[in-house]
Amino acid sequence: SIWTLRPAAMLSLLLPAVASTNVSLAILIRHSDARSASYETCAGEWINGACWMTDTMQTVVAASLTAVTDFNARNASALPAFGTLAGCDKQLRFRLLDSGGTVAKSVRALGDLTSGTDVVIGPGRSSVSTTTAAITGALDIPQISYWSTSTDLDDIALYPRFMRTIPTDQAAASSVCSFWKRQLGLSTVAVLYVQDPFGRAYEEATKVACLALGLTFASEGFSEDESLREKSIRDAVESLSDSGAKALLVLGFPSSLGLIVDSALATGLLTAGTSWVFADSVVSVDFDELSEAAQDALHGSLQIKAVGATDGDPQWTRFASERWAALQPGDFNPHLPADWQIRDDFFTAVDPHTSAILREPGAFAYDAVVTAGLLSCQVAPTGALPVKFGTQFWESKHTLSFEGLSGRVEFDEKGDRSSANVQLFNLLGQGATAFSAQLVAQFTEDEWVWKGGSREHSGVIYNFGELEPPVEALPPTQDEVPP
């Protein structure tokens, strides 16, 4: 079924003077983990034969549907861009769909796209978007992802209508190499990556950037297939243990995190005097499920990512400080499965200032919905959508510019976000009830800008809580070379 989200109190505001024309969205957000077939393999909640995601993903649902409400209400206090739409008669309708984190579940959920879907929002995983974007592209239906970062999706021949509000991995990949070389003074670095479109493309981008800086680069991939995962992780970790690298970038998902850390502790890839960096595919709360030994080892690890919401941004500040706590579960639960309902205290219990999922995919998803609405108004301000709506939508993307929850949103010719705000976080867990992420530096104009003015004064620590960065062993001098 297709829904419009219109709180009763706002209904009079949502009745335009002229007949409105609907733009139909299919919004793909992961409610469940379709890859998990049993209680034993479910990292979320196993209910009635399905593995449901933890409630953090419900922040993405709330952000997306709030964007629908704000656009339909022309709520200029939410975003200034909504105040420019007086001549547009478009209203957003939506189907909220469970991507399940898999291609099969997403394709089934989308169904027959030729019968009334104008724009697809999502999905999250790059490995799913590479299939759905091929389908939407063939049908001339714009697709706007909020969490698919793989540069594989830049191929316009394969994905001719794919756009995204989240920056690609290219920016983070180049900045992590700069960090290793210019901030830590390392010469040998390594990447452990999941063998899917996200992991492979990120590894390749990191390899290119690191080699360009003269770094010695090692990498190993592992399988996410449950039947192969454990052995492939152990083999990859063991291989990298022989690389001599003191710095490692981990490109994997929460389901593999425990195996990776346990294997690395056993082989010596993770010891005091090493520095691990994680991408945005895990968040700090994922560390809370690990063993005590793993948590001790990861205390002081780092995370690098192109962030969404930033403190001080007026649109985000208004949303986080004024609007979030006022949202009501009853506005969203009718659109959610009975086994995945938003609990009564959700909007007061979840702190938008610290929720990484709300600040990243949540903010990017809000802006993806807004993009769909604003570009629809640009292409067809009044009346029915043109027959070539998808083509005109795509061709207009580079003219769009607005201030969203994730900052200024603009697109390049490939449909990518034009700019990225890359930040470095310290992941801290020792002596606290849960892991947290503390901002320590920002990558601006090819330079790292540290809190406190320098790395030494930023308060950054390294794995096992070490205060000093990793140091590579000096090569032996001629006198020390054995005969």
Side-chain angles (χ1 to χ4, degrees), residues 242-478:
D242 298 328
S243 68
K246 296 282 190 177
L248 178 75
L249 173 64
V250 181
L251 306 172
F253 299 107
S255 53
S256 300
L257 194 54
L259 277 171
I260 289 170
V261 178
D262 291 344
S263 299
L265 287 171
T267 62
L269 182 62
L270 177 55
T271 63
T274 60
S275 177
W276 278 32
V277 183
F278 292 89
D280 60 355
S281 50
V282 296
V283 293
S284 56
V285 293
D286 295 324
F287 291 14
D288 298 338
E289 306 302 317
L290 301 176
S291 67
E292 187 175 339
Q295 291 184 359
D296 287 345
L298 294 180
H299 172 58
S301 52
L302 300 166
Q303 183 173 45
I304 193 164
K305 58 185 177 181
V307 298
T310 54
D311 296 330
D313 177 87
Q315 282 68 238
W316 167 254
T317 299
R318 189 176 300 113
F319 180 85
S321 301
E322 301 172 17
R323 305 195 62 215
W324 179 257
L327 298 178
Q328 298 296 321
D331 290 336
F332 306 99
N333 282 335
H335 313 294
L336 292 171
D339 291 331
W340 203 58
Q341 294 280 288
I342 294 175
R343 67 181 192 270
D344 289 346
D345 67 342
F346 182 75
F347 292 106
T348 52
V350 174
D351 183 354
H353 298 94
T354 59
S355 170
I357 298 296
L358 178 57
R359 294 175 68 103
E360 314 302 335
F364 289 130
Y366 182 100
D367 289 346
V369 171
V370 173
T371 296
L374 294 180
L375 276 178
S376 296
C377 282
Q378 207 159 293
V379 167
T382 59
L385 299 183
V387 173
K388 291 288 189 181
F389 171 73
T391 300
Q392 293 177 237
F393 188 103
W394 172 261
E395 291 175 347
S396 298
K397 66 188 181 300
H398 68 282
T399 65
L400 183 68
S401 178
F402 70 95
E403 296 292 341
L405 293 191
S406 62
R408 179 162 291 279
V409 180
E410 296 175 342
F411 300 93
D412 65 16
E413 71 282 354
K414 293 179 290 189
D416 288 339
R417 183 80 173 251
S418 297
S419 59
N421 183 11
V422 178
Q423 295 182 343
L424 185 71
F425 296 83
N426 223 175
L427 300 175
L428 308 174
Q430 213 167 45
T433 55
F435 264 80
S436 62
Q438 180 174 309
L439 176 64
V440 289
Q442 180 154 331
F443 195 63
T444 303
E445 296 180 357
D446 207 32
E447 294 290 337
W448 281 102
V449 179
W450 290 87
K451 292 282 188 181
S454 68
R455 177 175 60 79
E456 292 79 9
H457 292 95
S458 67
V460 65
I461 62 172
Y462 304 90
N463 287 81
F464 291 91
E466 292 284 316
L467 300 179
E468 297 298 323
V471 177
E472 292 174 330
L474 293 172
T477 64
Q478 193 64 39

